[in-house]
């Protein structure tokens, strides 16, 4: 088979016909992990401290399969590297996001990788067709093949973390927290196989998974990306998921069609950060890393995972991306990993002395590929200069390049044939939907079933309330967009909502199912199912201060139904256990459904019985996270001193094994509203600790008032007015120079800026500005005059302004005390509503500074 990347002097990599260049696979140029010395002398510029220094002797042993670095593969790589320029080698270390690079850029910059990040898509269209995704991949591959020199193929990565969740029409499986409740490694492998095929169909080569986090604090916004609080589940799943994605590695061969490279992440202890802060610090011992957080990594490595992603987080104050004792001494030593290490999204820029554009420290510590989504050009230039100056040694460069090329060979990227690409019938195929539906069934955990309200007789009159007809909410974050927001059922053409699944099951036996989001009814139902829970979020946007389920509407609905004498079943959608004692008390049955994805019929399979009321499927799921007795959010994990949950790890009722649940305490243990980093003015109220401050010409800031005309000297006034709801907005009237700002103690928004979050708000211009309008975050100001001048008077609009714009304009995003300020020199009238941080889904702007 010929290869588009085959230089004239090189035979195509195949099972036969290649001369071995190396005399033996273990010679000094191999670069394999077992050559790493058992003890490592820290370099003079190391950032590792005594408290963050790993000791390889105490870690478990694993080993990448011999087939990853077989003699033929190593010979091919060695011969190829002998013809590569230093520019081409450095290019292999740099990964750019498709939102910030074009195929034609590859003619100048010989990069080794691209990725499609959470909000990146062909042409910036998050609902792009599968055909558009394939064309994007083909355009980049063609550009890489056309460049002169060694012509090394790109490896193209994507976050397919619960199915191919980026593409409309793909199968969306339950998030890992639900899969952990299944305790079914064989099903995990089938999910991996289905995911890999759907990714390969759209042209990508590599997924950033499996996620092997062991979340120990449920306040973490990524808790749902972990299988369980106990490492036993990740240990049992890591190997099967890796084999599902990649298949078994074979000597002298590459991955079979329909398989893709995996990436075990996030190494290490991303689930162990203090107070559950995303990208935070694990404050603990090395033994805890070994006993808990290394978890599934040995099994993934033994199964042949081709890459590992380093964590944003730290260990005792030292970022993993710069800790050579973790990335080199441990990962390349006792863990025996022969693949390559990729960093997370601009994570290198968080290291001391580094920026997004320059970081030799990360490479020297053991990062082989730098994920530099929007900073790739200067990073390439600076890394090249660092190699030439010796700051990054030639040996370290060659080591990283060898690991990357080895993975590319085993992935099959040097071959032209892509036999499954474009087979769109595999996206959301009936076969894959059957797998997803089984996973939904097995992930459900029954917490309560009083009076045997479940299963529901199929012929009953069933009222279905809440968010039962919202596939987007059931799918959670990392669904079509990074945060999983803004999705409609039409965006899931191969999916089925929970309500649709219930309706199908009930009506098939002559019953009826009525959707009523607010729980109202004309004819009294036999039973009500209320579906409610968390709305979608991802990463740090999901970090919370406590575990109180604060929505009030579901509880009010449950109380009304109970008062009407209607048996109620709660189906709770969440990415973590939450304190829901009041809701559980008002429910006859309570089911933790996690984030089940697009196969809502899997819920109905278990809740709805046959015409005689007998179960069609029993409950299978067992808690893989302890359910809290109060809302404080303190870490609650099996085996810790004083362990006292509401429902213990491993709990889960079934029809075959029922049990009574007494009335639960409704004392939450928390008081008041928690501070909010990302919500400032919502539903007509200022979210603590934020308050509105107004400043007149030459005056001091004062608290906002709710009436005009407090004083003739006032040049800016505020009043509450109707927006999308009654008094949900504030109207600001400027009669001259003035400012209106949301203020509180300083908060750190650096993570949000790195994640390309945006300041978003709805606005209605009531009077055109007579002078310049500045929009500020902290001390960073952008000229928003054009935004408000262009808006017709009286028309509601929404704007998003990237946080990075304010940073570039001089804002210190590490200490923001005013996340929103409007400043003007003249008359202006504007009404504002829903001021918050929001995900940039290709719709954020950067006005002129």
């Amino acid at each position: 088979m010929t290869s588009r990347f085959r230089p004239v002097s090189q035979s195509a990599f195949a099972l036969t016909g290649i001369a071995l260049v190396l005399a033996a696979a273990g010679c000094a140029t191999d670069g394999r992990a077992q050559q790493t010395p058992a003890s490592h002398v820290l370099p003079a510029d190391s950032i590792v401290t005594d408290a963050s220094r790993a000791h390889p002797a105490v870690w478990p042993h694993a080993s990448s399969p011999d087939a990853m670095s077989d003699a033929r593969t190593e010979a091919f790589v060695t011969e190829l590297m002998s013809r590569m320029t230093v520019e081409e080698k450095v290019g292999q270390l740099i990964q750019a996001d498709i939102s910030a690079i074009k195929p034609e850029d590859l003619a100048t910059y010989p990069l080794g990788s691209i990725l499609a990040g959470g909000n990146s898509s062909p042409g910036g269209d998050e609902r792009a067709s599968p055909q558009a995704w394939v064309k994007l991949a083909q355009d980049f591959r063609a550009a890489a093949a056309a460049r002169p020199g060694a012509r090394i193929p790109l490896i193209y990565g994507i976050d397919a973390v619960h199915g191919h969740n980026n593409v409309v029409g793909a199968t969306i499986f339950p998030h890992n927290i639900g899969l952990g409740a299944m305790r079914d490694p064989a099903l995990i492998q089938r999910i991996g196989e289905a995911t890999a095929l759907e990714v390969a169909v759209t042209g990508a080569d590599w997924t950033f998974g499996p996620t092997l986090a062991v979340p120990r604090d449920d306040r973490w916004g990524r808790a749902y990306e972990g299988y369980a609080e106990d490492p036993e589940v990740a240990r049992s799943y890591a190997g099967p998921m890796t084999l599902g994605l990649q298949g078994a590695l074979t000597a002298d061969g590459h991955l079979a069609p329909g398989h893709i490279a995996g990436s075990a992440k996030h190494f290490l202890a991303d689930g162990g950060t203090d107070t559950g802060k995303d990208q935070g610090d694990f404050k603990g011992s090395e033994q805890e890393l070994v006993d808990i957080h290394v978890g599934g990594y040995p099994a993934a490595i033994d199964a042949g995972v081709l890459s590992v992603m380093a964590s944003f987080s730290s260990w005792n104050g030292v970022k993993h991306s710069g800790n050579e004792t973790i990335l080199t001494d441990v990962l390349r030593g006792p863990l025996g990993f022969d693949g390559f290490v990729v960093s997370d999204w601009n994570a290198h820029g968080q290291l001391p002395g580094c920026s997004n554009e320059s970081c030799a420290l990360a490479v020297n510590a053991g990062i082989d590929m730098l994920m530099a989504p929007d900073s790739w050009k200067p990073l390439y230039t600076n890394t090249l200069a660092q190699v030439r100056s010796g700051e990054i040694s030639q040996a370290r460069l060659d080591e990283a390049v060898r690991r990357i090329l080895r993975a590319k060979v085993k992935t099959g990227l040097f071959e032209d044939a892509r036999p499954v690409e474009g087979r769109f019938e595999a996206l959301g195929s009936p076969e894959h939907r059957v797998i997803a539906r089984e996973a939904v069934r097995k992930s459900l955990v029954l917490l309560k079933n009083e009076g045997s309200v479940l299963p529901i007789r199929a012929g009953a009159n069933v009222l279905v309330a809440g968010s039962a007809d919202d596939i987007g909410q059931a799918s959670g974050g990392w669904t079509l967009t990074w945060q999983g927001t803004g999705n409609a059922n039409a965006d899931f053409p191969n999916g089925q909502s929970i309500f649709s699944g219930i309706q199908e099951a009930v009506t098939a036996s002559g019953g009826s199912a009525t959707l009523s989001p607010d729980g109202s009814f004309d004819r009294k139902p036999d039973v009500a199912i209320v579906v409610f829970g968390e709305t979608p979020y991802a990463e740090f946007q999901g970090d919370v201060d406590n575990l109180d389920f604060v929505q009030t509407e579901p509880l009010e609905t449950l109380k009304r139904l109970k008062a009407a004498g209607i048996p109620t079943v709660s189906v709770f959608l969440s990415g973590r256990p939450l304190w829901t004692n009041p809701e559980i008390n008002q429910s006859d049955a309570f089911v933790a459904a996690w984030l089940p994805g697009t196969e809502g019929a899997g819920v109905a399979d278990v809740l709805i019985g046959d015409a005689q009321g007998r179960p069609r499927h029993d409950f299978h799921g067992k808690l893989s996270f302890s359910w809290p007795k109060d809302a404080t959010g303190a870490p609650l994990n099996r085996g810790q001193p004083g362990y006292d949950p509401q429902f213990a790890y491993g709990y889960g009722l079934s029809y075959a094994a029922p049990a009574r649940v007494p009335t639960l305490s409704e004392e939450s243990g928390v008081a008041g509203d928690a501070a909010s980093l990302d919500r400032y003015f919502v539903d007509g109220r200022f979210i603590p600790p934020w308050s509105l401050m107004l400043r007149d010409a030459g005056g001091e800031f004062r608290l906002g008032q709710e009436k005009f005309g407090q004083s003739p000297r006032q040049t800016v006034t505020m009043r509450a007015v109707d927006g999308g709801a009654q008094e949900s907005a504030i109207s600001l009237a400027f009669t001259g120079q003035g400012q209106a700002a949301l203020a509180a103690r300083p908060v750190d928004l650096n993570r949000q800026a790195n994640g390309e979050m945006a300041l978003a708000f709805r606005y209605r211009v009531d009077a055109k500005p007579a002078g310049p309008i500045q929009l500020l975050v902290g001390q960073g100001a952008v000229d928003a005059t054009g935004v408000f001048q262009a808006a017709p008077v009286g028309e509601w609009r929404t704007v998003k302004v990237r946080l990075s714009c304010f940073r570039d304009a001089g804002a210190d995003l590490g200490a923001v005390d005013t996340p929103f300020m409007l400043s003007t020199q003249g008359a202006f009238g504007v009404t504002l509503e829903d001021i918050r941080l929001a995900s940039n889904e290709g719709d954020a702007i950067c006005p002129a500074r």
Side-chain angles (χ1 to χ4, degrees), residues 648-710:
Y649 179 94
Y651 175 91
L653 304 178
S654 67
Y655 298 136
R660 293 293 307 276
V661 174
T663 300
L664 306 179
S665 168
E666 297 192 9
E667 291 296 324
S668 71
V670 299
D673 293 310
S676 174
L677 287 180
D678 58 354
R679 299 165 71 247
Y680 309 125
F681 178 69
V682 180
D683 296 331
R685 68 187 187 97
F686 297 100
I687 307 300
W690 308 105
S691 58
L692 180 69
M693 306 294 287
L694 305 178
R695 182 164 66 182
D696 308 304
E700 295 297 321
F701 273 115
R702 56 185 169 81
L703 286 171
Q705 303 295 321
E706 293 192 1
K707 294 181 180 180
F708 281 120
Q710 294 294 305

Side-chain angles (χ1 to χ4, degrees), residues 173-185:
F173 293 94
H175 268 295
N176 284 353
I177 190 169
L179 301 184
M182 299 187 317
R183 310 295 210 281
D184 191 333

Side-chain angles (χ1 to χ4, degrees), residues 579-665:
W579 186 75
T580 50
N581 283 10
E583 289 80 8
I584 294 173
N585 285 339
Q586 294 297 321
S587 306
D588 295 287
F590 195 95
V591 178
W594 315 112
L595 299 170
T598 54
E599 291 307 311
V603 176
D605 286 343
V606 185
L607 268 60
I608 309 300
D610 62 16
Q612 288 73 44
R614 295 173 302 200
R616 294 184 298 149
H617 296 273
D618 203 347
F619 282 90
H620 178 92
K622 304 296 181 183
L623 288 179
S624 59
F625 289 81
S626 304
W627 202 274
K629 185 173 284 187
D630 61 41
T632 58
L636 179 67
N637 301 296
R638 181 175 71 159
Q640 73 182 40
Y643 179 66
D644 185 26
Q646 187 70 71
F647 302 108
Y649 179 94
Y651 175 91
L653 304 178
S654 67
Y655 298 136
R660 293 293 307 276
V661 174
T663 300
L664 306 179
S665 168

Side-chain angles (χ1 to χ4, degrees), residues 522-571:
D522 296 322
R523 181 168 68 99
K524 185 176 179 179
D526 298 321
V527 65
I529 300 173
V530 184
V531 181
F532 62 97
E534 292 186 295
T535 54
Y537 55 83
E539 298 193 45
F540 47 79
Q541 286 300 100
D543 287 359
V544 293
D545 290 331
N546 60 59
L547 297 179
D548 192 5
F549 179 66
V550 295
Q551 297 177 30
T552 58
E553 186 175 345
L555 183 59
E556 292 169 358
T557 299
L558 290 168
K559 287 180 176 179
R560 288 197 305 270
L561 292 168
K562 185 172 185 177
I566 299 168
T568 57
V569 178
S570 287
V571 177

Side-chain angles (χ1 to χ4, degrees), residues 310-323:
S311 177
F312 268 119
S313 59
S314 309
W315 173 31
N316 290 332
V318 175
K319 289 284 184 181
H320 290 303
S321 294
N323 189 332

Side-chain angles (χ1 to χ4, degrees), residues 81-386:
M81 288 178 63
S82 72
R83 294 180 290 103
M84 291 174 66
T85 65
V86 67
E87 291 83 1
E88 289 171 328
K89 289 180 178 180
V90 168
Q92 292 300 300
L93 275 60
I94 309 297
Q95 182 184 60
D97 187 76
I98 60 171
S99 65
I101 189 172
K102 298 177 180 178
E104 51 265 34
D105 290 326
L106 296 177
T108 304
Y109 297 91
L111 300 196
S113 181
I114 57 170
L115 81 149
N119 279 334
S120 301
S121 53
D125 179 8
E126 297 289 356
R127 277 76 184 168
S129 68
Q131 291 84 352
W133 282 95
V134 169
K135 185 177 186 303
L136 178 142
Q138 291 175 343
D139 287 349
F140 275 101
R141 286 204 302 268
R147 55 192 176 190
R151 291 185 294 176
I152 299 166
L154 296 166
I155 186 167
Y156 165 24
I158 198 164
D159 284 288
V161 294
H162 62 134
H164 194 12
N165 44 267
N166 306 275
V167 176
V168 171
T171 308
I172 306 299
F173 293 94
H175 268 295
N176 284 353
I177 190 169
L179 301 184
M182 299 187 317
R183 310 295 210 281
D184 191 333
L187 183 52
I188 284 291
Q189 184 161 340
R190 291 162 57 206
I191 290 170
E193 291 168 352
T195 299
L197 177 56
E198 296 199 17
V199 171
V201 161
T202 59
D205 316 303
W206 175 29
T207 180
F208 302 128
T211 302
L212 300 178
V214 182
R216 304 289 283 178
D217 191 317
D218 298 343
R219 292 172 291 185
W220 185 37
R222 305 189 79 158
Y224 64 78
E225 296 187 54
Y227 295 120
E229 71 187 36
D230 191 291
E232 66 174 4
V233 182
R235 290 187 189 119
S236 70
Y237 279 6
M241 179 57 84
T242 298
L243 291 172
L245 293 169
Q246 297 188 170
L249 299 184
T250 59
D252 302 337
H254 52 72
L255 302 187
H259 287 282
I260 58 173
S263 187
K265 69 178 188 183
H266 304 85
F267 194 75
L268 189 64
D270 51 340
T273 61
D274 186 44
T275 69
K277 180 180 179 182
D278 191 43
Q279 303 180 23
D281 189 26
F282 168 64
K283 298 178 179 179
S285 68
E286 184 174 10
Q287 196 60 50
E288 289 177 86
L289 292 180
V290 171
D291 293 342
I292 297 171
H293 294 288
V294 78
Y297 286 97
I301 291 168
D302 286 342
V305 72
L306 288 166
S307 68
V308 165
M309 182 180 289
S311 177
F312 268 119
S313 59
S314 309
W315 173 31
N316 290 332
V318 175
K319 289 284 184 181
H320 290 303
S321 294
N323 189 332
E324 64 269 31
T325 71
I326 290 289
L327 297 181
T328 299
D329 294 1
V330 168
L331 189 57
R332 305 296 181 178
L335 292 185
F337 178 58
D338 282 346
F340 71 94
V341 176
V342 61
S343 61
D344 211 331
W345 186 280
N346 277 332
H348 57 276
Q350 298 181 0
L351 298 181
C354 289
S355 67
N356 291 352
E357 295 79 21
S358 178
C359 193
L361 173 61
V363 177
N364 288 332
I367 297 292
D368 300 309
M369 182 182 289
L370 296 159
M371 187 184 290
D374 55 354
S375 55
W376 61 270
K377 279 187 182 179
L379 184 64
Y380 170 81
T381 300
N382 289 324
T383 304
L384 181 61
Q386 289 156 357

